[in-house]
Amino acid sequence: DIQTAAGSYGWDPRLFHALVREESNFNKNIKSHAGACGLSQLMPGTATMVAKQAGISYKSSLIYDIPTNLKIGGYYLDSLLSDYGKNPMLALASYNAGPGNTDRWLAALPADAPADTWAESITFRETRHYVKRVLSTYLTYNLLYGSGPAYPDWSKFVVDARPAK
């Protein structure tokens, strides 16, 4: 299941749950107009590459297999979170539009640009809205099912934000 696929990593598995919700609406047989497949909406080439990196036994016929799709999607999100300093906004943009596009959007703004300014500068409308939707769903899950604060402290990702005392 979704929580199991994300549970072995050091980040909140509700983030992956929100990603799957927004990517596929929990439809395991869905295929996007771009060709992304399954619950975590993996492009076939990305699924093959990530499965190899993760040491997951994989062949293209398994892209709709729920445990395989979720395992690859969870590993991919974890690797993107690692690449982008645990910043969920950057990892999600990269998951949706690819690391090359995310790096280009990062390079177009000053390094100290606030996260909301960065999100609004994403030139792909689909990705800009995707990042906001997934994070909104994540915050909803956190509010409904979390045991800590309703909103995580993401102040390190937003230049002017400070955590509430």
Side-chain angles (χ1 to χ4, degrees), residues 73-146:
Y75 182 90
Y76 187 42
L77 180 59
D78 182 64
S79 69
L80 293 171
L81 284 163
S82 294
D83 290 348
Y84 290 102
K86 305 293 183 207
N87 185 321
M89 187 178 296
L90 300 179
L92 292 169
S94 191
Y95 192 99
N96 182 262
N101 288 311
T102 300
D103 292 345
R104 192 176 74 246
W105 297 323
L106 275 172
L109 290 175
D112 63 349
D116 57 345
T117 299
W118 184 85
E120 293 302 329
S121 75
I122 296 172
T123 58
F124 296 171
R125 181 178 180 265
E126 175 188 334
T127 302
R128 187 172 55 252
H129 292 287
Y130 169 83
V131 168
K132 293 180 207 178
R133 277 192 337 269
V134 174
L135 290 177
S136 176
T137 299
Y138 168 71
L139 291 174
T140 300
Y141 287 161
N142 200 45
L143 181 64
L144 292 173
Y145 307 113

Side-chain angles (χ1 to χ4, degrees), residues 1-24:
D1 81 332
I2 297 168
Q3 301 302 87
T4 302
S8 63
Y9 303 110
W11 39 268
D12 187 344
R14 287 182 292 255
L15 181 62
F16 188 55
H17 201 149
L19 179 150
V20 170
R21 161 62 171 82
E22 295 304 325
E23 284 283 5
S24 65

